[in-house]
């Protein structure tokens, strides 16, 4: 839980540093889950309504963070599935990260963050914000 | 709709089929006629499936799958739309499948067919499951 919480906290701090109106990240998780057993992950399909560019940025940032912490993507069966939703009709001005147990399909952890792009941010700014955050 | 579309009839209703997608005639508020994409009608029979279709097993039966729709092969070699067979595993889930949680368990719903992700053969695939 600590690792997962840290990831989202880092994403929140970095991505939203320029978004003073964005509410702080919130998350919830299955308190009975043993998070130490999860060592590999794969992505769930991106929902059509999710902002494609922002979704890709976040996915890259999460991959970098998780692989740096020893999580495997590819080359090993995933024990976690992760979905990212970024903006769109289902979650306007929000980012939602969800982690699901591969075996039971149970939602283990979910964090959401308000997201309002900094005024005038260029694509490069957005890239840097994600990279710096993670 | 493309000129290559063909007419398929199910229970005396005509639909149009083109490249894995089904359409029916529709009239908009201005009275203009056109075509709208619809879920594949169960029982529709088409002569061929687009490139990229998959085969999937459920029990001892073989199914053919494209764009979220399952088919069986009829004795005349044509493909017949059937209900999603529970247990079938496919590589691709169609765009438009909606993520849903029921009692905190993840499902994807595509036109009433429910899928769950699973790790199989080194990749994430999708298995048809009972309705939650």
């Amino acid at each position: 839980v600590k690792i997962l919480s840290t990831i989202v906290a880092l994403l929140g701090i970095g991505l939203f540093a320029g978004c003073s109106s964005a509410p702080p990240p919130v998350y919830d998780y299955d308190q009975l889950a043993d998070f130490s057993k999860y060592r590999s992950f794969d992505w769930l399909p991106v929902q059509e309504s999710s902002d494609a560019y922002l979704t890709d940025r976040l996915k890259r940032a999460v991959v970098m963070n998780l692989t740096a912490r020893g999580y495997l993507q590819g080359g090993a069966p995933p024990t976690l599935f992760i979905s990212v939703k970024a903006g769109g009709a289902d979650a306007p001005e929000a980012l939602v990260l969800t982690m699901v147990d591969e075996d039971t399909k149970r939602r283990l952890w979910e964090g959401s963050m308000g997201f309002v792009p900094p005024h005038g941010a260029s694509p490069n700014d957005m890239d840097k914000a994600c990279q710096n955050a993670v | 709709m493309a000129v290559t579309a063909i007419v398929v009839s199910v229970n005396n209703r005509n639909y149009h089929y083109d490249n894995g997608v089904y359409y029916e005639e529709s009239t908009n508020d201005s009275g203009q006629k056109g075509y709208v994409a619809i879920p594949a009608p169960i029982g529709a029979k088409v002569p061929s499936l687009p490139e990229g279709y998959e085969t999937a097993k459920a029990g001892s039966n073989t199914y053919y799958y494209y764009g979220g729709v399952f088919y069986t092969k009829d004795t005349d070699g044509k493909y017949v739309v059937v209900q999603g067979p529970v247990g079938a595993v496919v590589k691709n889930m169609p765009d438009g499948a909606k993520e849903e949680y029921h009692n905190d368990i993840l499902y994807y719903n595509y036109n009433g067919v429910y899928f769950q992700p699973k790790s199989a053969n080194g990749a994430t695939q999708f298995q048809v499951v009972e309705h939650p």
Side-chain angles (χ1 to χ4, degrees):
Chain A
V1 174
K2 186 177 178 184
I3 291 171
L4 300 176
S5 304
T6 302
I7 292 164
V8 169
L10 286 171
L11 283 169
I13 291 166
L15 275 176
F16 309 123
C19 310
S20 57
S21 61
V26 295
Y27 65 91
D28 200 1
Y29 59 91
D30 180 353
Q31 293 180 305
L32 299 178
D34 173 12
F35 284 89
S36 66
K37 72 179 185 181
Y38 301 105
R39 302 306 306 166
S40 55
F41 68 98
D42 199 3
W43 297 109
L44 289 170
V46 175
Q47 295 286 279
E48 278 187 324
S49 59
S50 196
D51 180 292
Y53 295 130
L54 192 52
T55 299
D56 284 347
R57 286 188 179 98
L58 282 169
K59 286 172 77 169
R60 286 197 297 271
V62 172
V63 166
M64 287 174 61
N65 194 293
L66 286 180
T67 54
R69 293 167 185 272
Y71 284 73
L72 299 173
Q73 184 194 21
T79 51
L80 271 179
F81 287 127
I82 303 178
S83 78
V84 172
K85 298 186 192 75
D90 291 343
E93 298 186 353
L95 307 176
V96 182
L97 190 61
T98 307
M99 301 189 178
V100 173
D101 183 295
E102 188 279 334
D103 184 37
T104 64
K105 323 305 178 195
R106 180 173 293 280
R107 177 165 44 189
L108 297 171
W109 188 98
E110 187 164 271
S112 62
M113 301 157 273
F115 178 71
V116 180
H119 182 69
S122 69
N124 283 341
D125 292 337
M126 300 284 275
D127 278 342
K128 286 177 184 172
C130 287
Q131 290 162 4
N132 291 339
V134 181
Chain B
M1 193 169 55
V3 294
T4 52
I6 62 170
V7 175
V8 295
S9 182
V10 181
N11 296 329
N12 297 319
R13 281 189 72 173
N14 284 342
Y15 302 93
H16 300 264
Y17 168 83
D18 183 52
N19 208 32
V21 181
Y22 295 81
Y23 304 85
E24 69 179 358
E25 285 189 17
S26 175
T27 305
N28 68 13
D29 294 342
S30 305
Q32 295 173 313
K33 288 191 174 180
Y35 297 90
V36 293
I38 59 166
I42 301 296
K45 185 187 278 194
V46 297
S48 63
L49 298 179
E51 274 188 35
Y53 72 84
E54 301 179 37
T55 58
K57 286 272 191 184
S60 59
N61 298 319
T62 299
Y63 295 87
Y64 303 84
Y65 171 83
Y66 184 85
V69 182
F70 286 89
Y71 300 81
T72 55
K73 205 171 205 176
D74 213 344
T75 52
D76 60 5
K78 294 182 177 179
Y79 298 88
V80 180
V81 177
V82 295
Q83 300 276 7
V86 171
V89 177
V90 297
K91 294 176 184 169
N92 299 297
M93 206 166 46
D95 293 341
K98 294 291 184 189
E99 183 182 299
E100 297 179 359
Y101 286 89
H102 297 269
N103 293 324
D104 257 351
I105 303 297
L106 171 64
Y107 296 86
Y108 287 93
N109 178 357
Y110 185 74
N111 291 331
V113 179
Y114 284 85
F115 297 84
Q116 286 185 318
K118 67 176 292 183
S119 173
N121 303 321
T124 297
Q125 301 190 351
F126 301 91
Q127 184 167 38
V128 178
V129 296
E130 299 279 4
H131 290 202

